[in-house]
Amino acid sequence: MRAGVVIFPGSNCDRDALHAVALAGADAIPLWHEDPDLHGADLVILPGGFSYGDYLRAGALARFSPVMRAVAEHAAAGGLVLGICNGFQVLAEAGLVPGVLLRNASLRFEHGWVRLAVERRDTPFTALVPDGRTLRMPIAHGEGCYHLPDAELDALEARGGVLFRYAGPEGNPNGSARDIAGVLDARGRVCGLMPHPERAAESILGSDDGMLLLRSLVTSAAASGVAR
Amino acid sequence: MSGTAATPLHRALGVTDEELAAIVERLGRDPNDLELAMFSVMWSEHCSYKSSKPLLRTLPTGGDDVVAGPGENAGVMSIGDGLAVAFKLESHNHPSAVEPYQGAATGVGGILRDIFTMGARPIAILDGLKFGDPASPRTRHLVRGVVRGVGGYGNCVGVPTVGGELVFHPSYAENPLVNVMAVGLLEERLLTLAAAPGPGNLCILFGSTTGRDGIGGASILASATFGAEGQQKRPTVQVGDPFAEKLLIEASLELIEQGLVEGLQDLGAAGITCAVSETADRAKTGIAVDLDAIPRREEGMEPFEVMISESQERMLAVVLPEKAEAVLAVCRRWGLPAATIGRVTADGLITIVSGGIADDGSPLPGARVLARIPAAALTSDAIVHARVASAPTRRRPAPAPGLPVRQAGSLPERGMDSGAVLLALLADANLASRAWVTRQYDATVGTDTVEASERAAGVIRVKGTRKGLVMATDANARVGRIDPWLGAAMAVAECARNIAVTGARPLGVTNCLNYGSPERPEAFWELGEGVRGIADACRALGLPVTGGNVSLYNESLAGAIAPTAQIGIVGLLDELDLLVRPAFRAAGDAVVLLGSGGAGLGGSIYAELAGIDPDDPPPALDLAAEAALLRLLREAASARLLRSAQDVSGGGLAVALAECAFWGGIGADCAVPLHASPADDLFGEAPGRVVASVDPARLAELRALAERHGVPLRRIGTTGGDRLRIALGDPASATAEEGAVAEHGALDRTLAELREAWERGLPRALGEDAGDVVSVASEER
Amino acid sequence: MSTYRFAVSVMPKDGILDPQGRAVEGSLPHLGISAVHAIRVGRRVELSVDAAGEAEARAIVERLAGELLANPVIESWTIARADGEGRAG
Amino acid sequence: MSTYRFAVSVMPKDGILDPQGRAVEGSLPHLGISAVHAIRVGRRVELSVDAAGEAEARAIVERLAGELLANPVIESWTIARADGEGRAG
Ligand SMILES: Nc1ncnc2c1ncn2[C@@H]1O[C@H](COP(=O)(O)OP(=O)(O)O)[C@@H](O)[C@H]1O
Ligand SMILES: [Mg+2]
């Protein structure tokens, strides 16, 4: 199973994602933003960071990178894509997942540990998460306030597009609509997620809950890779 | 750039008549205007250390593990396995006073460049911040801007901020301090020095283009007192571009890893002038600069502007000619402008040429030589001033350890509720939770952060090993104001203790000396005392000083800052799973106090809050006892004897106990013998003490170890419950071995109320809880 | 070929949360200002375009605004000349 | 008492580095755009002021701009009517 991690100029969680997804059992390779070839990746991760400095709007400039055409094609063909933090912002700007990430309600960068309720377990991203289990992982972003017009939110919820919500005493850190922390595209193959599972992949770092997500993904990608 | 009849050019540039004579002597002729401008920035205090050099020579710098010491961009110490750690502290005080967001941001950028220039990947940032009264609108504006700036830059480049300090003291009202420490990790074989060896080699400038920003920043901002005159001297503000810095980090490390550079130097103060003269001087070579080849951001820049511009995010690489194409290719890949701007020569001169240079660095036919200066004259052979030091007439020297101290004010004795005092201390702006700050910093990027901020030292694991690096930064302005020797020495001791309580071995020390004008004998005396304090403490604790930074002229019309020696220490934990944390971990554990404090409330937060007899001295510092305590802590940690450990510092024993308790969610019932006065015993900040919790079954073992190290150990209580109770014993029972001290009135509070006071304190002090002025000006982007 | 300078104003759409605007409004009482309301904070981008004529230049700016400078889900934009001519705003 | 609507345009001062503008410019090749240059990114703030006359209203906006909307050290600003009248930019 090969996982490709895209490096945009300004990505700063690319090495973290490579490290964690390798721990989860994948053959992890870097993908360069100017190279429109995914080099056989079964799974593509858009990592966190500040692609193009987050200038203008987070994710707005990265979405035009040559690699994003390949990512869009991969997704269109049913390939798995996970966008973490800035990667979520890039996916949203590119229209690969619904919604917009506005500035945090506090108008500040927010770092901290949050708890995520997992809304569905029948997805490639959450298959291994035990029932009833919430996931603890860090957030670190300035623009993570999830927004969609109300009617579209209703539609998103109705189709099961909300995958993670902020929960527990730590609460909603950024003012996201309906506490949404992560969403799925219509086919359920592309996921955008503000918190950082790759930073919660080893207990020495405070939590290994993120591993449940990454292992789910690696397992599903391996299965679908065989299928294709 | 020109002088007038009334003010000749050299004086307008801040060069004294005496300095001009020294320049003429080194050149054997009068300097032209460009040369004078180059001298003026290089002979600024910031670049030349012309006042502090003789003092800095007295610091101990040797040690087995030192790979690179003072003089390089950062200190480097070996941590085994072929790995080394690079670390350094630097100030960006005056730029932050002018423009807090950009000043702090570019401060972070500058210190990070010092780290990756050496071939180290930056792995952590710590920020030592000092401001005036948190209730004043100006302070609030500065705090908000500086914190946003540190975060705005550090978060974007992807280096976790894992520690720091936030101190409020009235002396910083007009002159805040922004000291930033950066830590990096490198393979020793990749260590890269900032030298320009090999005549014929190329000098390649890469990163951002050169603009008019920060013209004269180093010399003028950092070397002048803020006052009416300082206002006009303010140069163009530098704007940081962390995105460019991130690309610069990746490109620089790639160049080093691929073996493409012979030397690498970042551009900071004094820009290209500093980079070429320092690298040439270190290698005993010269450099010919092709002025026209320098990529510019603006049209019509004068040669002197190009040569001294402090545009951010630039690097200078010294490269073998056959590798130049490969270097340029790496820069292109990372989207960074790069240009060959000069050649290394054998003549020891910095030559600035317009019109092109030949392969050997000589001017092409028809080209003009605009400046020609011996590299040494600009750097190692810069002028050194013998400044006059004189102690203030009325001063209180540090008390000697063990001397009896006169009783001082002691509020709890006057019928004041000690529980209320503890709540007030926990809520004090200087002691309350820093979460309002640290939430704005990415502390977990890099997937190596084991412990960050809030509680104690930052802890970073070293991937591929079982090791951990532990880091902290401390200063002690309040004590420094009373006795600058003691303030500096105590900062070293406290910082080392912060490292040692985790079980780590402190490796080495970096520092930033923040003082007033060296031209004032009293301020220069303070600087001398501070350096002496650092040297004494480092010798006693066996720690080398591997680098640092000097920031003088920290004065405003309102006066000088409290003398502030900011200390940074990195320690090594050989086995990360031996890490000891500060929070209580289990009910029923024995609570012990290691070390014994003396009396003296001078310089404490309690004194500021409650007021004390102005003649009450600060507590004494016993460096030998401190060294023994450090050794004990390390051995106790390796034997896994400690369930938790936390040093006693700001707010004293009561605050330390409260923090251990509410961080762990486990209370404690304690009894403390009354030694000096209730205020001293509960809230005094005597150094050399640690609160630890221990499995009762292993207490005897710890006690034996403590005895062997000659460190006093006293069991003061037991963990458990959801309250913190501290009974004060009768002085008569102070000699009693343990337990039953006759009570003298107990402090008794729930963990919930203690925690709430601590959590709300800072937002409340800054007016953030009630809503305050929020600006959308540029810092918000 | 001439060079035209434009200013693109990008503002949050009506009905979209504008936390910056709200924050500024919230600080007005601290400044003793009560007469100001309905604050919206957006972006202004100035740029130069080389083109054969204004219509061609404007078309390029239109495209840039819709694809890059604004996010049509939440923002609307207007384009104006920012050189001699239509300089305003 | 009338209500006046203004737009405050805040731009980085000349000579001050504008990293945003630079980054946007750097990504234009990806959009296949080559005719655009000299991009500067700033802020636009729209607000309404209740005042007896335009001069009074404008004075309030002036004060607000210098104290809250712009950072005078690195930014300059212009103020324009943004209602019926001077609507532009
Ligand atoms: N400006 C800051 N940035 C990051 N961390 C900070 C800052 N100020 C304080 N901290 C963190 O808050 C904690 C408490 O600070 P301090 O009171 O100085 O600690 P100590 O008692 O160990 O000296 C430490 O972990 C410190 O690293
Ligand atoms: Mg400390």
Side-chain angles (χ1 to χ4, degrees):
Chain A
M1 205 299 289
R2 178 172 285 187
V5 175
V6 175
I7 304 176
F8 296 108
S11 293
N12 65 30
C13 305
D14 45 329
R15 294 152 47 89
D16 301 0
L18 285 163
H19 172 76
V21 77
L23 280 183
D27 165 23
I29 59 163
L31 300 173
W32 186 242
H33 68 110
E34 280 179 317
D35 181 358
D37 183 343
L38 299 183
H39 299 277
D42 305 287
L43 154 70
V44 177
I45 298 180
L46 306 190
F50 287 68
S51 56
Y52 292 92
D54 270 7
Y55 295 137
L56 215 53
R57 290 181 314 278
L61 297 171
R63 89 173 238 234
F64 293 103
S65 296
V67 74
M68 285 306 292
R69 281 198 299 274
V71 172
E73 281 163 21
H74 176 75
L80 286 168
V81 180
L82 172 65
I84 303 168
C85 195
N86 190 232
F88 184 6
Q89 294 161 338
V90 176
L91 289 177
E93 281 283 338
L96 294 176
V97 294
V100 182
L101 293 146
L102 304 175
R103 286 189 63 168
N104 294 344
S106 65
L107 292 179
R108 291 196 184 103
F109 186 93
E110 295 281 351
H111 174 269
W113 287 81
V114 297
R115 205 171 285 277
L116 297 183
V118 181
E119 300 286 297
R120 292 174 56 185
R121 289 174 165 73
D122 59 343
T123 77
F125 303 89
T126 52
L128 300 182
V129 179
D131 227 22
R133 174 80 175 268
T134 57
L135 306 179
R136 206 173 152 264
M137 52 185 80
I139 52 152
H141 58 250
E143 298 173 37
C145 175
Y146 189 78
H147 169 85
L148 258 189
D150 258 330
E152 290 174 52
L153 272 178
D154 292 340
L156 180 72
E157 302 243 26
R159 73 159 168 82
V162 176
L163 190 52
F164 301 104
R165 279 187 226 269
Y166 300 108
E170 295 87 355
N172 177 341
N174 52 28
S176 285
R178 303 187 191 175
D179 299 330
I180 292 172
V183 298
L184 285 175
D185 74 334
R187 309 170 58 160
R189 307 293 289 174
V190 181
C191 171
L193 168 68
M194 280 322 287
H196 287 273
E198 82 283 13
R199 300 189 189 182
E202 294 162 86
S203 54
I204 181 82
L205 304 180
S207 163
D208 56 4
D209 290 356
M211 227 5 147
L212 289 170
L213 201 155
L214 295 173
R215 278 220 191 85
S216 299
L217 202 45
V218 167
T219 312
S220 319
S224 62
V226 171
R228 269 195 295 159
Chain B
M1 190 176 68
S2 66
T4 63
T7 317
L9 178 60
H10 69 276
R11 283 196 217 143
L13 290 172
V15 175
T16 64
D17 295 353
E18 180 203 351
E19 288 167 346
L20 180 62
I23 291 169
V24 171
E25 188 193 312
R26 282 163 179 74
L27 287 180
R29 60 177 166 82
D30 286 341
N32 64 31
D33 289 358
L34 172 60
E35 290 167 337
L36 195 54
M38 291 166 68
F39 272 106
S40 79
V41 288
M42 290 304 295
W43 284 23
S44 68
E45 187 66 47
H46 184 85
C47 292
S48 71
Y49 294 86
K50 62 190 170 189
S51 303
S52 54
K53 221 185 242 178
L55 295 172
L56 297 179
R57 289 203 188 102
T58 65
L59 293 170
T61 57
D64 290 346
D65 300 328
V66 178
V67 178
E72 282 299 333
N73 280 301
V76 179
M77 297 201 63
S78 171
I79 60 166
D81 294 329
L83 298 174
V85 60
F87 57 103
K88 166 109 175 281
L89 252 169
E90 201 159 76
S91 62
H92 229 209
N93 302 338
H94 285 183
S96 303
V98 174
E99 167 40 43
Y101 181 93
Q102 296 296 345
T106 51
V108 173
I111 187 64
L112 287 174
R113 283 193 292 284
D114 278 336
I115 298 298
F116 66 77
T117 297
M118 309 209 59
R121 179 172 283 278
I123 54 168
I125 295 169
L126 299 93
D127 59 340
L129 312 179
K130 314 273 186 295
F131 299 97
D133 178 3
S136 102
R138 171 152 169 84
T139 296
R140 292 175 176 186
H141 164 74
L142 290 173
V143 173
R144 272 197 286 264
V146 164
V147 169
R148 270 182 195 280
V150 170
Y153 208 98
N155 299 343
C156 184
V157 294
V159 180
T161 300
V162 303
E165 255 201 328
L166 174 63
V167 171
F168 299 98
H169 184 274
S171 73
Y172 303 117
E174 292 304 317
N175 194 126
L177 299 187
V178 176
N179 288 188
V180 185
M181 174 170 167
V183 182
L185 186 66
L186 70 153
E187 287 181 56
E188 251 183 80
R189 65 179 178 93
L190 293 180
L191 178 70
T192 305
L193 299 182
N201 283 339
L202 301 174
C203 297
I204 296 181
L205 182 68
F206 64 103
S208 296
T209 47
T210 299
R212 282 201 177 88
D213 32 7
I215 299 286
S219 59
I220 292 169
L221 263 194
S223 306
T225 298
F226 272 160
E229 186 204 15
Q231 295 276 348
Q232 314 153 0
K233 281 191 175 176
R234 287 176 184 184
T236 13
V237 168
Q238 305 157 21
V239 170
D241 182 356
F243 170 56
E245 178 103 338
K246 170 67 175 158
L247 305 177
L248 211 53
I249 295 175
E250 299 305 330
S252 299
L253 294 178
E254 195 170 316
L255 291 175
I256 289 171
E257 215 151 283
Q258 294 184 18
L260 294 176
V261 297
E262 306 304 300
L264 195 61
Q265 166 79 322
D266 63 303
L267 274 75
I272 297 174
T273 299
C274 182
V276 294
S277 55
E278 287 192 358
T279 50
D281 191 38
R282 285 198 190 102
K284 300 286 165 254
T285 57
I287 289 179
V289 175
D290 179 359
L291 189 73
D292 312 328
I294 297 169
R296 296 151 207 219
R297 205 168 65 225
E298 291 170 73
E299 281 162 29
M301 287 180 71
E302 297 284 332
F304 90 91
E305 292 179 311
V306 175
M307 287 307 297
I308 69 175
S309 156
E310 295 183 358
S311 288
Q312 299 287 301
E313 291 96 20
R314 296 179 297 164
M315 300 287 284
L316 184 75
V318 179
V319 177
L320 294 171
E322 61 269 26
K323 292 188 176 169
E325 194 34 55
V327 169
L328 296 176
V330 169
C331 294
R332 259 197 310 276
R333 193 170 115 87
W334 286 103
L336 292 170
T340 300
I341 64 148
R343 286 272 181 176
V344 180
T345 61
D347 59 12
L349 300 173
I350 299 303
T351 309
I352 313 300
V353 178
S354 175
I357 56 172
D359 283 357
D360 65 353
S362 60
L364 289 178
R368 282 183 310 137
V369 172
L370 303 181
R372 180 170 277 160
I373 308 174
L378 290 167
T379 60
S380 57
D381 190 29
I383 197 166
V384 174
H385 289 302
R387 302 287 194 196
V388 178
S390 81
T393 40
R394 182 185 178 281
R395 73 180 195 92
R396 277 169 297 170
L403 276 188
V405 177
R406 203 161 46 77
Q407 290 292 304
S410 44
L411 273 179
E413 268 183 344
R414 294 191 206 127
M416 182 38 123
D417 171 10
S418 54
V421 175
L422 175 57
L423 286 171
L425 283 170
L426 286 170
D428 186 87
N430 278 300
L431 296 177
S433 164
R434 268 51 196 141
W436 181 84
V437 174
T438 56
R439 272 197 74 88
Q440 301 185 53
Y441 297 159
D442 189 342
T444 51
V445 62
T447 60
D448 290 321
T449 304
V450 175
E451 194 65 66
S453 300
E454 268 314 294
R455 298 174 178 202
V459 181
I460 296 283
R461 64 104 176 250
V462 181
K463 279 196 185 94
T465 73
R466 306 172 63 166
K467 294 176 173 159
L469 290 169
V470 183
M471 50 204 74
T473 181
D474 281 292
N476 196 330
R478 284 178 186 75
V479 172
R481 167 137 274 192
I482 301 171
D483 179 335
W485 176 88
L486 187 62
M490 269 197 190
V492 175
E494 181 184 344
C495 198
R497 215 181 311 123
N498 281 333
I499 303 295
V501 287
T502 66
R505 171 171 62 97
L507 289 174
V509 174
T510 181
N511 68 89
C512 186
L513 300 166
N514 304 273
Y515 291 84
S517 164
E519 295 157 41
R520 257 194 329 111
E522 194 170 308
F524 192 65
W525 172 82
E526 291 174 346
L527 173 64
E529 287 293 284
V531 173
R532 193 169 66 82
I534 294 175
D536 287 349
C538 286
R539 285 207 176 83
L541 304 182
L543 294 173
V545 176
T546 62
N549 173 239
V550 176
S551 169
L552 305 182
Y553 299 94
N554 288 292
E555 304 195 357
S556 67
L557 297 177
I561 60 162
T564 309
Q566 188 77 33
I567 302 298
I569 299 187
V570 175
L572 178 63
L573 200 56
D574 286 313
E575 296 280 340
L576 193 46
D577 68 333
L578 290 176
L579 174 67
V580 179
R581 302 181 198 241
F584 287 151
R585 289 196 12 228
D589 280 351
V591 180
V592 300
L593 179 64
L594 303 172
S596 66
L601 287 166
S604 66
I605 306 286
Y606 175 88
E608 207 170 70
L609 204 73
I612 53 160
D613 181 334
D615 278 330
D616 199 15
L621 172 66
D622 182 341
L623 286 168
E626 200 74 56
L629 178 64
L630 300 191
R631 284 192 295 268
L632 165 65
L633 286 166
R634 189 148 157 259
E635 266 193 56
S638 9
R640 297 184 196 275
L641 285 173
L642 305 176
R643 279 257 170 83
S644 74
Q646 153 86 331
D647 84 302
V648 177
S649 55
L653 179 63
V655 165
L657 284 169
E659 289 175 341
C660 297
F662 62 68
W663 287 339
I666 298 170
D669 197 347
C670 300
V672 178
L674 186 65
H675 275 296
S677 75
D680 275 295
D681 292 320
L682 288 174
F683 310 119
E685 298 177 10
R689 293 177 297 162
V690 164
V691 169
S693 65
V694 192
D695 177 351
R698 303 198 67 188
L699 181 57
E701 214 177 319
L702 180 65
R703 190 185 297 282
L705 194 62
E707 236 160 66
R708 196 138 57 67
H709 285 282
V711 174
L713 177 153
R714 182 181 181 93
R715 177 169 184 171
I716 57 171
T718 304
T719 60
D722 60 0
R723 309 182 74 84
L724 176 67
R725 201 167 159 283
I726 310 175
L728 264 184
D730 199 284
S733 71
T735 49
E737 183 20 30
E738 215 102 270
V741 281
E743 284 194 20
H744 204 275
L747 180 164
D748 187 2
R749 296 282 163 161
T750 67
L751 298 192
E753 60 187 326
L754 295 171
R755 174 186 270 282
E756 180 175 302
W758 180 74
E759 280 177 350
R760 292 216 177 151
L762 188 58
R764 184 168 289 170
L766 289 171
E768 291 280 334
D769 55 340
D772 199 5
V773 178
V774 177
S775 155
V776 293
S778 74
E779 61 177 50
E780 307 249 351
R781 249 213 326 267
Chain C
M1 207 65 155
S2 312
T3 300
Y4 302 84
R5 192 145 181 91
F6 290 90
V8 182
S9 296
V10 180
M11 298 301 294
K13 277 186 181 162
D14 290 342
I16 294 283
L17 197 70
D18 174 20
Q20 290 199 77
R22 271 209 322 216
V24 176
E25 249 167 79
S27 8
L28 295 179
H30 296 278
L31 293 170
I33 293 181
S34 60
V36 174
H37 52 99
I39 303 183
R40 307 284 282 170
V41 180
R43 229 181 344 268
R44 177 185 168 96
V45 181
E46 294 183 0
L47 44 84
S48 297
V49 189
D50 298 333
E54 173 165 353
E56 182 191 321
R58 196 175 276 270
I60 293 174
V61 181
E62 271 296 352
R63 193 187 136 207
L64 203 58
E67 286 187 15
L68 181 63
L69 304 180
N71 180 340
V73 180
I74 48 170
E75 293 165 332
S76 60
W77 66 91
T78 56
I79 296 172
R81 284 290 289 282
D83 33 25
E85 265 87 317
R87 167 108 215 175
Chain D
M1 206 64 153
S2 312
T3 299
Y4 302 84
R5 191 144 181 93
F6 289 90
V8 184
S9 297
V10 182
M11 299 301 293
K13 279 185 183 164
D14 289 342
I16 291 279
L17 180 71
D18 175 20
Q20 289 208 78
R22 245 180 15 171
V24 174
E25 227 169 295
S27 73
L28 293 181
H30 289 156
L31 283 111
I33 291 180
S34 60
V36 174
H37 54 97
I39 302 184
R40 307 281 282 172
V41 180
R43 225 173 3 267
R44 178 185 166 97
V45 182
E46 295 183 359
L47 44 82
S48 299
V49 189
D50 299 333
E54 173 165 354
E56 183 191 321
R58 196 176 274 270
I60 294 175
V61 180
E62 269 297 351
R63 191 182 142 210
L64 206 57
E67 287 185 20
L68 210 53
L69 306 181
N71 177 347
V73 182
I74 53 177
E75 295 171 326
S76 59
W77 65 92
T78 56
I79 296 173
R81 284 288 291 280
D83 32 27
E85 264 88 317
R87 168 106 214 174

